[in-house]
Amino acid sequence: MTANRLIYLPLGGAGEIGMNCYVYGYGPIGRERLILVDLGVAFPDMDTSPGVDLIMPDISWLHDKLDRLEAIFITHAHEDHIGALGHHWPRLQKKVYARRFTATIGRLKFEEAGLPIDQIVTVDARPAAVEAGPFRVQFVPVSHSIPESSALVIDTPAGRVFHSADFKIDHSPVVGEPWDDARLAEIVAERPVKAMTCDSTNVFSTHPGRSESTLAEPLTELIRNASGMVVATTFGSNVARLKTLAEAARTADRTICVLGRSMKRMLTAAEEAGVLSGFPRTVTPEEAAEIPRRNLMLLVTGSQGERRAASAQLSRGKYLGLEMKEGDTFLFSSKTIPGNERDVLRVWNAFSEKGVIVVDDQGGRYHVSGHANRPDLEHVHRLILPDMLIPMHGEHRHLAEHVRIATESGIAAAVAVNGTMLDLTGDVPEVAEYVETGRVYLDGNALIGALDGVVRDRIRMALNGHVLVTVILDETDEPMGEPWVELMGLPATGRGNRPLAEAMEADLAHFTDRAGRKLLKDDAKLEEEIRRLVRQVAMEEIGKKPEVTVVISRLMAE
């Protein structure tokens, strides 16, 4: 009889920031029953994924195991944990379990995608539990930068797993549940924790984390002392920060206007889920335009410099009739995610050119992280006392540092990047196998694989330009006229100001006139030779090898 085992497999979020997606399994080797925790996205950049809308984990490994997948659990409503749910669910077709606020966001995504919202089930916090095959799963409230974030207690016949998800230690988070040591101590007293999979995002921050509530005073002071209109941006999902900013504005005798669909949706969902109350009154953009600038504050989307968000649009000119002017203040109450620096600076410089005073988080004065710093992580290690610790939510350097900290305190630990299946059944984590993982791109409305070549070809065209060559052959395979060339993304002239298209057409005409009948009859070989010749001419004239498309048209005899 095959022995049962407990496995952990990250498909996203381990070895990178974002795109969180984790599989747990229990049962006979190769026939384990499975649950999926989180289905998140990462965001593209123009350097590596031009034109792409979202990046998602490739969950192909699950596709031929759907009969073994019991359920999907979503820990919280940040896009890097829930953003891919609506795109991947049609293939998975399993019940989704989440707490009320997260479920509300999930149902909005399902409605937009035309998916059945009854497949998302609202679950109360522990002691409520979901039975899913050999798993018994409970949601444990933790503090984070979005309401109703939860760790998961996952009970199996092989032991208890504590999946931390994203968390911080915050005893007064403004919105959402405060951190509670007693809550975690109770979990350990009830049943020892065999394995803890843990957030590693801030493992290099050596000072204790700060509470959201510490921002109220400095934000109020900043807004009160500003002379013109104040505009503040933060992550739209950070409902607590939005409330802190709004209350600071109200204290400074300013009326609030919210700009940005995603921010409005988060506030509405938080109120509907009962996690937000007492938010100051807001006005429409039309009403805001009639309020003196000294008495107005805008809360806007676009903290990461997104081109279509309200912040970027205000930096370029008017947005919904509102405009920033010299002497106004713009506040980034957020941290710039690595990779977004250029986009944020573009917005910053555009405001600077207008004479707008731009203020950033200034070393934490106007922003606090939603993730646990190193001292807080070590505190949670001591509370949970797991037999083994598996870092997640981080790049490789974060995971490796987290392992070092755990092993120094006597906890068995292992780095498991995406695709590394660990066997957690024994006393220490052991690599069971390596699974091929990757990324899937949302490109417009289409899902494409990262290795499909679409984005690769797009990058090549962007870097090297494109040449379209058209050749017409008659019924006897003789050229009709000369080939002609169309250029895209290439200089019009080459060496000595010679027109590039004419240079290519002259060499192509010479080539087709001298080509043998056998070559002219073979489309594949003819296309290959034309492509080689065009790239050779381009290299000589402008020092580039462009992408080349060859269109061969043949007239057929009647």
Side-chain angles (χ1 to χ4, degrees), residues 426-442:
D427 296 328
V428 297
E430 297 182 352
V431 176
E433 63 178 287
Y434 293 99
V435 170
E436 186 173 338
T437 58
R439 298 180 167 204
V440 173
Y441 296 143
L442 178 66

Side-chain angles (χ1 to χ4, degrees), residues 231-234 259-260 263 298-320 322-324 330-332 340 342-354 356:
V231 180
T233 186
T234 189
L259 300 180
M263 189 175 284
L298 310 181
L299 295 177
V300 302
T301 53
S303 67
Q304 301 305 301
E306 302 95 321
R307 287 192 61 82
R308 290 182 290 182
S311 294
Q313 299 209 49
L314 281 170
S315 75
R316 295 193 292 268
K318 285 189 176 183
Y319 180 58
L320 299 179
L322 299 170
E323 182 179 15
M324 296 206 73
F330 188 93
L331 168 65
F332 286 99
N340 294 340
R342 188 163 52 188
D343 293 333
V344 170
L345 287 175
R346 183 184 296 116
V347 172
W348 190 321
N349 282 314
F351 280 133
S352 182
E353 291 173 7
K354 290 174 176 286
V356 173

Side-chain angles (χ1 to χ4, degrees), residues 498-507:
R498 183 187 182 193
L500 180 59
E502 290 183 13
M504 291 178 176
E505 289 170 348
D507 279 29

